[in-house]
Amino acid sequence: MSPALTTPVVNDVALAAATPASVSHSALFSLANKTVAITGGGRGLGITLAGAVLEAGGHVACLDILPEPAAAEWTALQKIAKASGLGLSYRRLDVTDEEALTQVFDEIDAEAAALGAPFYGCIACAGIQQKVPAIDYPQADFERIQRVNVTGTFLTAKHTARILVKNGVQGSIVLIASMSGQIANRGLTCTAYNTSKAAVQQMCRSLAQEWGQHGIRVNTLSPGYIRTAMTDDLLAAAPELEKIWMAGALLNRLGAPDDFKAPAIFLLGAGSSFMTGADLRVDGGHCASA
Ligand code: NAD
């Protein structure tokens, strides 16, 4: 037997209390009495994940640069929130504006405390994409993509962690990266975007290393191709891409926002309590075959 297995763990009582060994299956996927902030929560993947958090019993604060969230999806969310007695709010926010972000996160923290559902974490889903050949990529555009996708994600994680540390809450931070953080997409000239998503994956490991001491977990969720406004724009400009994407689709379909509900809830909730600094790639098998 290795020394690690025979040597008593000094703080084993604290460790046992923190593990989910005695937690029921449903509790592992529950976000009851927790408040979660979701950037990019105005449409697409973000607003779908907002629905997932509500369905898991959590309260939701959606943040997005859009003046209003997508109407049909928001009406559906309001119905779920009302039926379940859960808090749901929408605020316009540019995630690259740290002053505004600080104020908004403080407001969410105060509202969460008033609801009796402490601020517990975030899904950093805001992101932008642009297709330009690298040899022509304007510096300003390259920097704009990094500013939103990297700096905006960092500021979201930073202010989430500041509140969690202040309140002594062992929360969870989910950063939406992409399979494009690990592979170059055939047929796509998106060097700035791919660079930004690789940065988000490395940011995750670095933050996990710093914040594990507080019990705060940080993981990335890396989707493959999802049909949203972002990919609709790419396909509108280059319809031939769909054929290339389908060639790598081992399940013979592209992703839908709903495919990411369970992975996001898993990463947020107690079910993943021993997981931090990790990447969960959900890509319909795209990266599994060359
Ligand atoms: P989307 O364009 O529908 O959603 C992105 C959201 O981010 C939009 O609501 C947008 O308004 C918001 N946003 C952009 N800049 C912002 C800013 N400065 N401040 C606040 N909000 C801002 O696209 P989506 O497909 O739903 O993308 C969501 C996330 O998923 C992104 O991070 C994207 O990179 C990632 N992703 C998407 C795909 C895909 O195939 N669609 C694949 C992998 C990863």
Side-chain angles (χ1 to χ4, degrees), residues 225-227 235 242 245-246 249 252-256 259 286:
Y225 295 116
I226 322 168
R227 287 308 301 261
L235 288 171
E242 186 154 12
W245 294 357
M246 286 305 294
N252 209 27
R253 68 175 179 89
L254 302 181
D259 289 317
H286 195 95

Side-chain angles (χ1 to χ4, degrees), residues 3-286:
L5 291 176
T6 51
T7 309
V9 180
V10 176
N11 61 347
D12 55 351
V13 175
L15 271 180
T19 62
S22 58
V23 178
S24 71
H25 171 269
S26 59
L28 292 174
F29 293 92
S30 168
L31 296 173
N33 304 314
K34 293 174 165 60
T35 295
V36 175
I38 304 179
T39 70
R43 72 176 192 194
L45 184 59
I47 204 165
T48 301
L49 299 184
V53 172
L54 289 173
E55 286 161 5
H59 304 256
V60 176
C62 285
L63 313 168
D64 201 293
I65 201 164
L66 297 172
E68 305 284 343
E73 288 91 336
W74 191 252
T75 304
L77 289 194
Q78 283 176 314
K79 276 190 194 150
I80 303 173
K82 196 172 173 200
S84 315
L86 295 168
L88 172 68
S89 62
Y90 183 85
R91 288 178 178 80
R92 188 177 192 185
L93 173 74
D94 178 348
V95 290
T96 68
D97 179 347
E98 186 167 20
E99 200 179 328
L101 194 140
T102 309
Q103 189 184 328
V104 160
F105 272 67
D106 285 347
E107 285 171 18
I108 295 168
D109 178 34
E111 282 173 16
L115 274 170
F119 181 66
Y120 169 76
C122 71
I123 304 176
C125 191
I128 54 174
Q129 167 67 294
Q130 188 185 26
K131 182 170 166 287
V132 181
I135 208 151
D136 298 322
Y137 222 113
Q139 179 179 346
D141 282 348
F142 190 92
E143 289 175 355
R144 184 174 59 89
I145 302 270
Q146 310 315 314
R147 189 167 162 74
V148 175
N149 294 3
V150 183
T151 309
T153 298
F154 173 70
L155 293 175
T156 302
K158 170 183 165 183
H159 286 276
T160 297
R162 283 173 78 113
I163 293 173
L164 295 178
V165 171
K166 169 179 76 77
N167 295 344
V169 172
Q170 300 194 337
S172 176
I173 294 174
V174 178
L175 310 177
I176 303 299
S178 170
M179 69 174 178
S180 306
Q182 288 167 294
I183 54 110
N185 312 62
R186 278 183 201 280
L188 273 186
T189 53
C190 294
T191 294
Y193 178 86
N194 295 359
T195 303
S196 75
K197 293 301 182 176
V200 169
Q201 289 171 347
Q202 176 59 356
M203 183 192 305
C204 162
R205 293 184 281 267
S206 304
L207 297 179
Q209 190 276 135
E210 286 195 40
W211 296 339
Q213 63 179 310
H214 301 291
I216 299 169
R217 299 184 298 110
V218 189
N219 293 289
T220 45
L221 174 54
S222 287
Y225 295 116
I226 322 168
R227 287 308 301 261
T228 63
M230 185 177 276
T231 42
D232 286 349
D233 287 349
L234 293 172
L235 288 171
E240 69 281 3
L241 282 176
E242 186 154 12
K243 205 172 161 197
I244 300 175
W245 294 357
M246 286 305 294
L250 299 192
L251 297 172
N252 209 27
R253 68 175 179 89
L254 302 181
D258 275 357
D259 289 317
F260 302 88
K261 288 169 72 171
I265 298 306
F266 166 66
L267 288 179
L268 279 173
S272 60
S273 61
F274 195 51
M275 190 169 167
T276 194
D279 181 51
L280 179 56
R281 197 180 68 218
V282 180
D283 65 353
H286 195 95

